[in-house]
Amino acid sequence: MTQRTRPDKRHSPNEMRPFYCSSALLSRADGSVRFKSGDSAVMCSVFGPMEVKLRDEKLDKAVVEVIFKTAAGMTTTKERMYERIIRQTLEASILSGLHPRTSIRVTLQVLTDDGGILSTALNAATLALVDAGIPLRSLAASVTCMIDDTGELLLDPTAIELERSASVHTFAFDNVSEGTLANMSTGLFTVDEYMRCYETCRLAAVSVQQLFRTSSEGKVRREYG
Amino acid sequence: MDDSTPASVQNGMDVDTPPSVTSTPAVFSLDSETFKKIHPTEYHRRFLSQGVRPDGRTLSRFRKAKITVGAITTAHGSAMARLGETTVVCGIKAEITEPKTGAPRDGFIVPNFDLPPLCSPQFKPGPPSELSQSISEYINRVLESSKLLNLSDLCIEEGRAVWVLYADIVCLNYEGNAMDAAMLALVAALKHVRLPTATFYEADNAVRVKEQRTIPLKLSRTPISVTFGVFDGQFILADPDIEEEPHLSSQLTVIIEQNGGLCGMLKPGGSALGQETLTSCLEAARTRATHILGILEGALAER
């Protein structure tokens, strides 16, 4: 494998960008998190369980609303697709049956986008749900990877690297089940390449899960001593 | 679907007759229609545990696909796709526009998928629903990233005039699985497009277009969308219909081309899906794509 340095000075194609999170930043929100992965950053706030609009009310579970806002400009179809993917992924993790006839609103605000924004947003949303104390079945961790025009797999690509992509794959994995919660792949790729990306992202998701764990432990220590 | 719980309710009219006279005990039972309304998920579960679906299909059976091209004569290319009763039409209108300065030779293709209130009571008038917007966006991404169309083929005069193809995909009757039908209608319509010869005249800064439409688009591949539904995280249902969709724990769409190469995978959340399931879905998708391609070729040859 070529030891080429990546544009943001990472040494290995299998290396993720440094990621970190800071929580409880907003006083009005029930839970809030800023999640940074390299130069991609998303701010997420969670409100709820709170009152639900009569029209959306579900008798047996909480309604999950996701709002995705870009750093600048209008909301386009891209954001609506991200909202759908994130909402359906979170719905699988949230124990919504515990809060019937309520609404849980997750608002995601992109601060900077340097590639892999869907993954960053999904990770931010999961952590914000933890921060808000919403009962969860599992934690969804998301990782993006791409295959470049030479066939090399690059984990967690930046916007510059994405320009040379033959295919881009975003996966979400949780910490309890075997298998992927969400996946969006585009570009041209073979089944073998897809499975390689799946495996790489699955392993990388473990390190994101570790961050979730450290962050939750820190929160418990802060709040309960 | 009988629920064999004996009813303890006595009919009020029978007070005169002693209970010993009625020999057969009253059994509480529901007809299948009522059961379906009260316990829709359980209704489906009981069918699926027997390896059959409420509409009579086996789990791995797709609905019948039908393609008609050239349904709209005023459009530059059009097609109608049907999956069972799901009907989607796609009309492609070519217009002339100025290219972007960054890409002076590149034309545009603008897919737009709509689920109007006409097609199902679940869609209301007003701004496009989240579902239709995300399908539009995903189709657009697949078109772009799979390099289906060489956009510089749409150039009329570099930096001055290019074709823009507006692909309007409209669902007429929604019976589930909009993604597959939309993608199929779009690809068939793109294959049916005939553009007229257009020449740019520097002198009057205008484009003249000939009457006859003769130039077909050069498509690099034929992506076919194949969707699976996952029920209870264990039953894989090929081509889920409208009755099954609300009870699915997850959906998986595979965009596959003729030689088995992939152009996209979409699993928008839901329950987890393991690697073996993905592999078997990919396998089934390949078989289905070959079948659909045959139908598509047939429909295009018929014209």
Side-chain angles (χ1 to χ4, degrees), chain B residues 192-226:
Chain B
H192 175 248
V193 166
R194 295 289 179 279
L195 290 177
T197 319
T199 340
F200 182 79
Y201 292 94
E202 192 68 55
D204 45 2
N205 194 22
V207 176
R208 303 258 161 77
V209 177
K210 288 226 177 87
E211 195 81 356
Q212 297 102 326
R213 297 167 179 174
T214 49
I215 313 162
L217 294 174
K218 289 187 206 78
L219 299 186
S220 59
R221 46 184 55 80
T222 317
I224 301 290
S225 161
V226 186

Side-chain angles (χ1 to χ4, degrees), chain B residues 128-148:
Chain B
S129 65
E130 188 187 61
L131 177 67
S132 69
Q133 286 198 39
S134 27
I135 291 180
S136 292
E137 171 66 21
Y138 193 68
I139 287 179
N140 189 32
R141 283 203 179 197
V142 168
L143 289 186
E144 269 177 22
S145 64
S146 68
K147 299 177 186 72
L148 181 67

Side-chain angles (χ1 to χ4, degrees), chain A residues 77-78 80-82 84 87-89 92 177 179-189 191 194-195 198-199, chain B residues 130-131 133-134 137-138 141 145-146 221 261-270 272-273 275 278-279 282:
Chain A
T77 48
K78 184 177 115 187
R80 294 306 295 274
M81 181 172 73
Y82 286 171
R84 177 164 175 251
R87 179 172 53 78
Q88 296 192 358
T89 310
S177 46
T180 176
L181 285 184
N183 163 228
M184 184 177 72
S185 300
T186 47
L188 293 170
F189 49 99
V191 176
Y194 178 76
M195 287 306 171
Y198 177 97
E199 205 46 41
Chain B
E130 188 187 61
L131 177 67
Q133 286 198 39
S134 27
E137 171 66 21
Y138 193 68
R141 283 203 179 197
S145 64
S146 68
R221 46 184 55 80
L262 297 168
C263 302
M265 292 281 275
L266 183 65
K267 183 191 180 299
L273 221 57
Q275 219 163 346
L278 286 170
T279 315
L282 283 167

Side-chain angles (χ1 to χ4, degrees), chain B residues 58-102:
Chain B
T58 55
L59 270 61
S60 58
R61 188 159 182 87
F62 292 86
R63 286 176 293 176
K64 198 175 169 216
K66 205 176 162 215
I67 304 162
T68 323
V69 294
I72 307 164
T73 46
T74 47
H76 289 81
S78 64
M80 184 173 84
R82 298 184 65 167
L83 289 176
E85 290 298 311
T86 299
T87 313
V88 171
V89 284
C90 174
I92 295 180
K93 191 83 190 140
E95 285 180 20
I96 293 161
T97 186
E98 273 183 34
K100 281 186 186 160
T101 40

